[in-house]
Short mmCIF file of all heavy atoms in Angstrom, two decimals:
data_model
loop_
_atom_site.label_atom_id
_atom_site.label_comp_id
_atom_site.label_asym_id
_atom_site.label_seq_id
_atom_site.Cartn_x
_atom_site.Cartn_y
_atom_site.Cartn_z
N GLN A 1 -4.71 -25.85 9.21
CA GLN A 1 -5.91 -26.15 8.42
C GLN A 1 -5.88 -25.38 7.11
O GLN A 1 -5.58 -24.18 7.08
CB GLN A 1 -7.17 -25.80 9.20
CG GLN A 1 -7.34 -26.60 10.49
CD GLN A 1 -7.41 -28.10 10.23
OE1 GLN A 1 -8.16 -28.56 9.38
NE2 GLN A 1 -6.58 -28.86 10.95
N PRO A 2 -6.20 -26.06 5.98
CA PRO A 2 -6.13 -25.39 4.67
C PRO A 2 -7.23 -24.36 4.47
O PRO A 2 -8.39 -24.61 4.81
CB PRO A 2 -6.27 -26.56 3.69
CG PRO A 2 -7.05 -27.59 4.44
CD PRO A 2 -6.60 -27.48 5.87
N ASN A 3 -6.85 -23.23 3.91
CA ASN A 3 -7.80 -22.16 3.58
C ASN A 3 -7.42 -21.58 2.23
O ASN A 3 -6.26 -21.60 1.82
CB ASN A 3 -7.75 -21.06 4.63
CG ASN A 3 -8.43 -21.41 5.93
OD1 ASN A 3 -9.57 -21.04 6.17
ND2 ASN A 3 -7.73 -22.15 6.79
N LEU A 4 -8.41 -21.02 1.56
CA LEU A 4 -8.18 -20.32 0.30
C LEU A 4 -8.88 -18.98 0.38
O LEU A 4 -10.07 -18.91 0.70
CB LEU A 4 -8.75 -21.13 -0.87
CG LEU A 4 -8.55 -20.54 -2.26
CD1 LEU A 4 -7.08 -20.56 -2.66
CD2 LEU A 4 -9.38 -21.32 -3.30
N MET A 5 -8.13 -17.92 0.13
CA MET A 5 -8.72 -16.58 0.18
C MET A 5 -8.64 -15.91 -1.18
O MET A 5 -7.61 -15.97 -1.85
CB MET A 5 -8.01 -15.72 1.23
CG MET A 5 -8.66 -14.35 1.43
SD MET A 5 -7.91 -13.39 2.79
CE MET A 5 -8.68 -14.19 4.20
N ILE A 6 -9.76 -15.31 -1.59
CA ILE A 6 -9.84 -14.56 -2.84
C ILE A 6 -10.15 -13.12 -2.47
O ILE A 6 -11.17 -12.84 -1.83
CB ILE A 6 -10.96 -15.10 -3.76
CG1 ILE A 6 -10.90 -16.63 -3.88
CG2 ILE A 6 -10.89 -14.42 -5.12
CD1 ILE A 6 -9.70 -17.14 -4.63
N VAL A 7 -9.27 -12.20 -2.85
CA VAL A 7 -9.39 -10.80 -2.42
C VAL A 7 -9.21 -9.87 -3.62
O VAL A 7 -8.38 -10.14 -4.50
CB VAL A 7 -8.31 -10.47 -1.36
CG1 VAL A 7 -8.50 -9.07 -0.80
CG2 VAL A 7 -8.31 -11.50 -0.24
N LEU A 8 -9.97 -8.80 -3.64
CA LEU A 8 -9.73 -7.73 -4.61
C LEU A 8 -9.26 -6.51 -3.84
O LEU A 8 -10.00 -5.96 -3.02
CB LEU A 8 -10.99 -7.40 -5.42
CG LEU A 8 -10.77 -6.40 -6.55
CD1 LEU A 8 -9.81 -6.96 -7.60
CD2 LEU A 8 -12.09 -6.02 -7.22
N ILE A 9 -8.02 -6.12 -4.08
CA ILE A 9 -7.42 -4.98 -3.39
C ILE A 9 -7.29 -3.81 -4.35
O ILE A 9 -6.94 -4.00 -5.52
CB ILE A 9 -6.02 -5.35 -2.84
CG1 ILE A 9 -6.09 -6.62 -1.99
CG2 ILE A 9 -5.45 -4.20 -2.02
CD1 ILE A 9 -4.72 -7.12 -1.57
N LYS A 10 -7.54 -2.62 -3.86
CA LYS A 10 -7.39 -1.42 -4.69
C LYS A 10 -6.21 -0.58 -4.21
O LYS A 10 -5.78 -0.70 -3.06
CB LYS A 10 -8.68 -0.59 -4.64
CG LYS A 10 -9.87 -1.29 -5.28
CD LYS A 10 -11.08 -0.40 -5.23
CE LYS A 10 -12.26 -1.07 -5.93
NZ LYS A 10 -12.01 -1.29 -7.35
N ASN A 11 -5.71 0.25 -5.10
CA ASN A 11 -4.69 1.21 -4.73
C ASN A 11 -5.33 2.39 -3.99
O ASN A 11 -6.49 2.72 -4.21
CB ASN A 11 -3.96 1.74 -5.96
CG ASN A 11 -2.69 0.96 -6.24
OD1 ASN A 11 -2.13 0.30 -5.37
ND2 ASN A 11 -2.21 1.03 -7.47
N ALA A 12 -4.55 3.00 -3.13
CA ALA A 12 -5.00 4.21 -2.44
C ALA A 12 -3.86 5.21 -2.43
O ALA A 12 -2.69 4.84 -2.48
CB ALA A 12 -5.44 3.88 -1.02
N LYS A 13 -4.20 6.47 -2.39
CA LYS A 13 -3.20 7.53 -2.31
C LYS A 13 -2.78 7.71 -0.86
O LYS A 13 -3.60 7.73 0.05
CB LYS A 13 -3.74 8.84 -2.88
CG LYS A 13 -4.04 8.81 -4.37
CD LYS A 13 -2.77 8.59 -5.18
CE LYS A 13 -3.07 8.64 -6.67
NZ LYS A 13 -1.84 8.40 -7.48
N GLY A 14 -1.48 7.85 -0.66
CA GLY A 14 -0.96 8.09 0.67
C GLY A 14 0.09 9.18 0.65
O GLY A 14 0.43 9.72 -0.42
N ILE A 15 0.60 9.51 1.79
CA ILE A 15 1.63 10.54 1.91
C ILE A 15 2.90 9.91 2.46
O ILE A 15 2.87 9.17 3.45
CB ILE A 15 1.18 11.68 2.84
CG1 ILE A 15 -0.09 12.36 2.29
CG2 ILE A 15 2.29 12.71 3.01
CD1 ILE A 15 0.13 13.03 0.94
N GLY A 16 4.01 10.18 1.81
CA GLY A 16 5.31 9.69 2.26
C GLY A 16 6.30 10.84 2.34
O GLY A 16 5.98 11.99 2.04
N ILE A 17 7.51 10.53 2.76
CA ILE A 17 8.58 11.52 2.85
C ILE A 17 9.72 11.04 1.97
O ILE A 17 10.21 9.91 2.11
CB ILE A 17 9.05 11.69 4.31
CG1 ILE A 17 7.89 12.17 5.20
CG2 ILE A 17 10.22 12.66 4.39
CD1 ILE A 17 8.24 12.26 6.67
N ASP A 18 10.15 11.91 1.04
CA ASP A 18 11.20 11.49 0.12
C ASP A 18 12.58 11.68 0.74
O ASP A 18 12.72 12.11 1.89
CB ASP A 18 11.07 12.25 -1.22
CG ASP A 18 11.29 13.75 -1.07
OD1 ASP A 18 11.90 14.18 -0.07
OD2 ASP A 18 10.87 14.50 -1.98
N GLU A 19 13.61 11.38 -0.06
CA GLU A 19 14.98 11.43 0.46
C GLU A 19 15.43 12.84 0.82
O GLU A 19 16.39 13.04 1.57
CB GLU A 19 15.95 10.82 -0.56
CG GLU A 19 15.94 11.53 -1.90
CD GLU A 19 16.84 10.84 -2.91
OE1 GLU A 19 17.25 9.70 -2.67
OE2 GLU A 19 17.12 11.49 -3.94
N ASN A 20 14.73 13.85 0.27
CA ASN A 20 15.04 15.25 0.61
C ASN A 20 14.17 15.78 1.74
O ASN A 20 14.13 16.99 1.98
CB ASN A 20 14.87 16.13 -0.64
CG ASN A 20 15.85 15.77 -1.73
OD1 ASN A 20 17.04 15.52 -1.45
ND2 ASN A 20 15.38 15.73 -2.97
N LEU A 21 13.47 14.86 2.40
CA LEU A 21 12.61 15.19 3.53
C LEU A 21 11.45 16.09 3.14
O LEU A 21 10.99 16.94 3.92
CB LEU A 21 13.42 15.82 4.68
CG LEU A 21 14.55 14.96 5.24
CD1 LEU A 21 15.22 15.66 6.42
CD2 LEU A 21 14.05 13.58 5.64
N ASN A 22 10.96 15.88 1.91
CA ASN A 22 9.77 16.58 1.44
C ASN A 22 8.61 15.59 1.42
O ASN A 22 8.80 14.39 1.21
CB ASN A 22 9.98 17.14 0.04
CG ASN A 22 11.03 18.24 0.02
OD1 ASN A 22 11.03 19.12 0.88
ND2 ASN A 22 11.93 18.18 -0.96
N LEU A 23 7.42 16.13 1.66
CA LEU A 23 6.24 15.29 1.56
C LEU A 23 5.97 14.97 0.10
O LEU A 23 6.11 15.81 -0.78
CB LEU A 23 5.02 16.00 2.17
CG LEU A 23 5.07 16.24 3.69
CD1 LEU A 23 3.85 17.05 4.12
CD2 LEU A 23 5.10 14.91 4.43
N GLU A 24 5.56 13.71 -0.17
CA GLU A 24 5.22 13.32 -1.53
C GLU A 24 4.02 12.38 -1.50
O GLU A 24 3.77 11.68 -0.51
CB GLU A 24 6.40 12.62 -2.21
CG GLU A 24 6.83 11.33 -1.54
CD GLU A 24 7.94 10.64 -2.29
OE1 GLU A 24 8.27 11.08 -3.41
OE2 GLU A 24 8.47 9.65 -1.77
#
């Protein structure tokens, strides 16, 4: 069934691990 969605998404800050295994 056809649907159309309109969304406004925002950026958020998160925590990752870089290639040197440091938090970023």
Side-chain angles (χ1 to χ4, degrees):
Q1 298 300 311
N3 285 262
L4 181 69
M5 185 175 281
I6 312 292
V7 185
L8 186 63
I9 307 173
K10 294 182 177 297
N11 266 339
K13 295 296 184 181
I15 299 297
I17 299 175
D18 64 20
E19 59 183 14
N20 295 318
L21 301 183
N22 294 315
L23 293 176
E24 62 177 352

